[in-house]
Amino acid sequence: MKRWFLWINIVWLFLPMTVYAWEHPPDAIQVYYQKKPVLEHVEYDEADSFEIISDDSKIQVLIDDRDVPIVWEEHKGSVPFSKQAHHVQIVKEKTIIKEFWIQEPKPVYAHAQFVSTTEGQWSLQVTFDAPIADEIYMLVQKEEQVIDEIACQNQKEIPYKLQNGVFKVHLYDRQNPNHVLKINDQDTFTFHFSETEPEIQTEVNEISGSRDKELLIHWPEFVKEKSVIVDQMVVEADDRFVLKATEGQQKTVSVVLKATDLFGRTALKPVDVLLDAKPPVLTLLHGQQPVMANQLYILYEKKEFIFFWDEPIEQQLDIYVNDQKIPSGQLNTLWQSLKNKDRLKLVCQGKDLQGNISSYSYEFQYQTQIESLLLQASTVQKKSEKVVQVQTKDPYFGSYLDSRSIWRTWKKNEDQKIILEKKEVHLQDRTKPMMRFMAENGGSLSHLQKGDVLRLTLLNTESYSNDHFTDIQINGKKMDADQIHKDALHNEYVLITLKDKETKIVASAEDKSGNIAEIQQTFTLEETKFYGYWLLVIPGLVGILGLLWKVKHGKIKGS
C-alpha cells in the first residue's frame, strides 16, 4: 500500500515537468510580431522587426533567401525586416524548422454616394463591406482645411451632411498609416457640392485661315456623365471640338451638350454654330433688269445700276471706261456722261462678315437709239438671260399712279441653255376714271341757251382700264343705257339737250380695277334781254318798209 502511494507521488511530482518538456523541447522556437505569436502569415504593421525565443543561438534566419543576422539578448533574438519582405525561413542545421509569409494589411474599400432627403438636404454616405474592426478614421477637408474627423471603428455606414464647397474625404489608420484605405477606389475622394444646378459654359472661336470653328466646352466640376450630340449624332465627349465647314455652303450645326453631376442633377446646353463657307452673291440690275457677269451688254438706255448682295458685305468697286481705270466716283453719274460706243467695265468684289470673298466682272457698251434700231433689225437670236426670278416695276406714261410688276421665271432646257419659262404681268391701276363736259358744236359753257346740247365724255385713258359709265342722272332722272355712245377713240359719251332754266347733271363711272369717280354740275341758261330783240327787229322793219316804198313809187312812174 505504501509502495503504491509512493509511486503516485513520484508521478504527480514529475508530470508538470514532463508536460513542459513536451511543449518546450530543447530545440523549440517561438516567433512573435507585435507581441502576437506568428503562425503562417504576418500582416505588416509599423514595427520593422520580429522576435525569436529559442535556447539555440545557432539557428539561422533567411528572408527572401537572404541571410539576416539575429541580435540576441539571452534567449530572445530580434530580426529586422522591411515592408518589401515576403518569405521568412528559420533554419537549423540546414533544416527548415519554421517558415511564414509577411503581407500587407488587408485593404479596406468603402463606397461613397450622395443621398437627398425629402426636404432637399444632401448628405455624403460612406458604406463599408463590413463593420470596421481597426482604428480607422474618416478625415473631411473643405477648401483645404480639415473640418471634421469621424471614427469608423465598429461602423458599417457613415452619413455626413453637406454644405456648399469643395470637399476632400479620405480614410486613415492611426496604428498603420500604410494601411490601404480607399473610397470609390480613390485614395482621396474629391467632389464639389453646390445647392445651385450645374451649368455648362461654351465658347465659339474662329480658326485662323479657315471657315471651320472651334467649340470650347467648360463642363461643370465633378460630373459623372457627359455627352455631346452633333446634328443628332452622339460623339465622344471632349472639352474641344472642331466643326468643319463645307466649301461653298452655309449651314448651321446644332450641338446639344449634356452633363450629369455626382448628385444626379442634369444640365443641358443647346448651341447652334453657323459655318459659312459660301461667298456672297451679287445681283446687278440695270434699271430693273438683271445682268450676267462676264458678258458684254449693248445698252441703248442709261438706266441706273443697282447692286444687290444676298448678305451684308464690304464692297470694292473698280470702274474702267474704254479700258482706262477711273478714280473712285459716282458710278451712275459717270454712266450718264458716256458717249456713243463708249465701253464701261465694272469689277466688283464683296467680302462678307465671315471673310468669304466673291468677285464679279461686267462689261457694257452704250449705243444711241439709231444704233439700237439697226442692231435689232439685224439680230436673229436673242442672248440668253440669267437664271433668276426678279420683280420689276415700270411706270405708265400719262397715269403716274399706275404701275405694273413683271415676274420672269427662267430655267435650263435639255441643252442646258437658259430660257424664259414664264412671264407674268401684274397691273396696279390706281387712276380713277376721268369725265368732262363740252358744248357741242364748239359753243361756250358759260353762255348756254335753251336748246343747246352738252357732251359728257368719259376719257379712255388706258387700254387696260375698261372705263365705263355706271349711272347718269339729269335733274334726278336716270338716263337709259342705250343713250351712251362711243366715239372713234372708244371714249363713252352722252348728249344732253338743255330745256330747263337749270339742269343738274350727276354721273359716275368705274374702271376694271374698281376705281370709282363721280362728277356733278349744274348748268343755268343765260337770260334774253328786251333791247336785244329790238336791235334785231328794227333793222329788218326799216328794210321792209323801204322796199315797199320803192315798189309803190316805181309803179307810178312807170305808168
Side-chain angles (χ1 to χ4, degrees):
M1 186 68 181
K2 292 181 179 180
R3 185 180 293 177
W4 282 102
F5 181 76
L6 178 61
W7 281 108
I8 288 173
N9 281 283
I10 293 173
V11 171
W12 183 259
L13 179 64
F14 287 98
L15 182 59
M17 297 177 62
T18 305
V19 173
Y20 178 82
W22 179 73
E23 290 182 349
H24 299 83
D27 57 351
I29 297 176
Q30 298 178 56
V31 180
Y32 292 87
Y33 180 67
Q34 293 285 65
K35 298 181 181 181
K36 296 178 182 179
V38 175
L39 300 177
E40 293 182 355
H41 298 89
V42 169
E43 286 190 357
Y44 179 80
D45 206 337
E46 280 298 286
D48 56 0
S49 64
F50 59 86
E51 293 181 344
I52 297 177
I53 299 176
S54 176
D55 295 332
D56 190 349
S57 60
K58 295 182 179 180
I59 61 175
Q60 180 184 10
V61 176
L62 299 177
I63 297 179
D64 295 334
D65 298 327
R66 296 178 61 183
D67 191 0
V68 178
I70 304 172
V71 180
W72 290 100
E73 185 177 343
E74 295 183 356
H75 298 292
K76 293 182 180 181
S78 177
V79 181
F81 70 97
S82 66
K83 182 180 179 180
Q84 288 73 31
H86 293 91
H87 189 208
V88 178
Q89 295 173 314
I90 301 176
V91 181
K92 180 179 179 181
E93 296 177 356
K94 298 183 181 181
T95 300
I96 299 174
I97 58 177
K98 187 174 181 61
E99 65 178 339
F100 58 90
W101 280 262
I102 301 173
Q103 57 187 7
E104 295 183 357
K106 185 178 180 181
V108 174
Y109 294 97
H111 175 67
Q113 62 180 350
F114 300 97
V115 294
S116 175
T117 64
T118 55
E119 293 79 15
Q121 176 63 52
W122 286 90
S123 296
L124 171 67
Q125 184 172 289
V126 179
T127 305
F128 303 97
D129 295 335
I132 299 298
D134 300 325
E135 192 176 354
I136 294 176
Y137 290 82
M138 185 173 80
L139 197 68
V140 181
Q141 291 178 284
K142 178 185 175 184
E143 316 297 348
E144 303 298 333
Q145 299 292 325
V146 176
I147 62 171
D148 225 332
E149 186 178 40
I150 304 170
C152 304
Q153 195 168 20
N154 301 322
Q155 300 290 327
K156 186 178 179 181
E157 185 176 282
I158 299 176
Y160 188 79
K161 185 178 178 181
L162 294 177
Q163 51 187 309
N164 290 338
V166 178
F167 290 85
K168 291 182 180 180
V169 179
H170 71 271
L171 303 171
Y172 76 97
D173 188 337
R174 283 186 175 179
Q175 293 184 347
N176 184 7
N178 295 317
H179 197 166
V180 175
L181 306 169
K182 291 183 180 292
I183 301 178
N184 289 1
D185 294 327
Q186 302 174 35
D187 293 331
T188 300
F189 180 57
T190 304
F191 64 92
H192 176 269
F193 174 73
S194 174
E195 294 177 351
T196 59
E197 297 293 322
E199 185 178 2
I200 304 172
Q201 301 290 339
T202 58
E203 295 179 42
V204 178
N205 297 324
E206 307 284 344
I207 297 179
S208 179
S210 171
R211 296 295 171 264
D212 303 338
K213 291 187 178 179
E214 178 186 56
L215 176 62
L216 297 179
I217 306 172
H218 304 286
W219 298 99
E221 289 188 281
F222 309 109
V223 296
K224 63 179 180 180
E225 292 178 359
K226 55 185 179 180
S227 62
V228 178
I229 301 174
V230 179
D231 283 342
Q232 300 182 347
M233 294 184 62
V234 179
V235 300
E236 183 180 354
D238 204 344
D239 298 338
R240 176 182 178 273
F241 289 92
V242 175
L243 302 174
K244 294 288 187 179
T246 303
E247 188 66 30
Q249 293 185 14
Q250 183 185 79
K251 63 180 181 179
T252 300
V253 178
S254 296
V255 181
V256 179
L257 308 173
K258 180 180 179 181
T260 304
D261 66 10
L262 299 174
F263 308 95
R265 300 176 299 187
T266 299
L268 281 174
K269 176 79 171 181
V271 183
D272 290 334
V273 181
L274 175 65
L275 300 177
D276 185 2
K278 181 187 76 65
V281 177
L282 169 64
T283 300
L284 177 62
L285 299 180
H286 176 245
Q288 300 293 338
Q289 299 299 320
V291 295
M292 294 180 64
N294 304 317
Q295 288 194 15
L296 175 62
Y297 283 84
I298 307 298
L299 300 179
Y300 316 109
E301 296 179 282
K302 294 179 178 179
K303 295 183 179 181
E304 183 180 10
F305 288 108
I306 305 173
F307 295 81
F308 284 107
W309 292 91
D310 65 342
E311 59 180 306
I313 56 94
E314 177 184 337
Q315 177 176 286
Q316 177 183 332
L317 178 63
D318 293 330
I319 305 173
Y320 298 84
V321 175
N322 298 328
D323 297 327
Q324 296 293 321
K325 187 173 182 179
I326 304 299
S328 298
Q330 233 302 323
L331 169 62
N332 288 297
T333 302
L334 175 65
W335 170 236
Q336 294 299 324
S337 68
L338 295 190
K339 300 178 181 179
N340 185 36
K341 293 190 178 182
D342 279 347
R343 294 171 73 99
L344 174 69
K345 181 179 180 181
L346 305 177
V347 178
C348 188
Q349 179 177 285
K351 182 178 180 181
D352 65 15
L353 300 177
Q354 305 298 322
N356 299 300
I357 298 176
S358 59
S359 183
Y360 294 84
S361 178
Y362 304 90
E363 290 193 58
F364 308 95
Q365 185 179 43
Y366 172 69
Q367 289 188 1
T368 60
Q369 191 65 26
I370 295 177
E371 296 280 349
S372 168
L373 295 174
L374 292 175
L375 184 61
Q376 290 178 8
S378 62
T379 302
V380 178
Q381 295 183 348
K382 294 183 178 180
K383 294 183 179 180
S384 59
E385 298 187 46
K386 185 177 180 181
V387 179
V388 70
Q389 191 179 59
V390 63
Q391 184 181 17
T392 61
K393 185 178 179 181
D394 301 326
Y396 281 97
F397 294 105
S399 302
Y400 65 92
L401 294 177
D402 296 348
S403 63
R404 66 178 176 180
S405 299
I406 302 177
W407 283 87
R408 295 182 177 88
T409 304
W410 307 85
K411 73 172 186 178
K412 288 185 178 180
N413 61 12
E414 296 177 354
D415 299 328
Q416 296 300 303
K417 291 183 178 180
I418 300 171
I419 61 174
L420 179 64
E421 180 184 36
K422 184 172 60 175
K423 176 181 177 180
E424 296 175 297
V425 178
H426 301 276
L427 295 172
Q428 291 184 339
D429 181 3
R430 301 187 183 91
T431 305
K432 293 183 179 182
M434 298 176 61
M435 293 172 283
R436 69 177 182 179
F437 289 100
M438 296 178 60
E440 190 74 354
N441 299 322
S444 172
L445 294 177
S446 59
H447 301 287
L448 295 173
Q449 302 293 328
K450 186 176 181 179
D452 285 348
V453 178
L454 297 180
R455 176 190 285 257
L456 173 60
T457 304
L458 174 60
L459 301 176
N460 184 23
T461 56
E462 299 291 344
S463 60
Y464 56 79
S465 294
N466 191 22
D467 299 339
H468 59 280
F469 283 114
T470 56
D471 186 45
I472 304 174
Q473 295 186 17
I474 311 297
N475 288 333
K477 183 178 179 180
K478 185 178 180 67
M479 289 189 71
D480 295 331
D482 57 4
Q483 294 180 269
I484 300 175
H485 311 284
K486 282 191 176 183
D487 60 18
L489 299 177
H490 304 286
N491 298 317
E492 289 189 358
Y493 71 94
V494 293
L495 298 176
I496 303 168
T497 302
L498 301 179
K499 300 177 181 179
D500 301 322
K501 185 176 180 180
E502 285 191 350
T503 303
K504 183 179 180 180
I505 303 173
V506 179
S508 59
E510 184 178 4
D511 64 13
K512 186 177 181 180
S513 300
N515 298 305
I516 298 174
E518 183 178 288
I519 187 172
Q520 61 177 322
Q521 191 167 343
T522 300
F523 296 93
T524 303
L525 299 181
E526 194 174 52
E527 294 183 0
T528 303
K529 296 183 178 179
F530 180 77
Y531 67 84
Y533 285 104
W534 283 110
L535 291 175
L536 296 174
V537 172
I538 291 175
L541 291 175
V542 172
I544 293 172
L545 291 175
L547 179 63
L548 292 174
W549 182 82
K550 185 177 180 180
V551 169
K552 180 178 179 181
H553 286 78
K555 286 183 177 182
I556 294 174
K557 290 179 179 181
S559 61

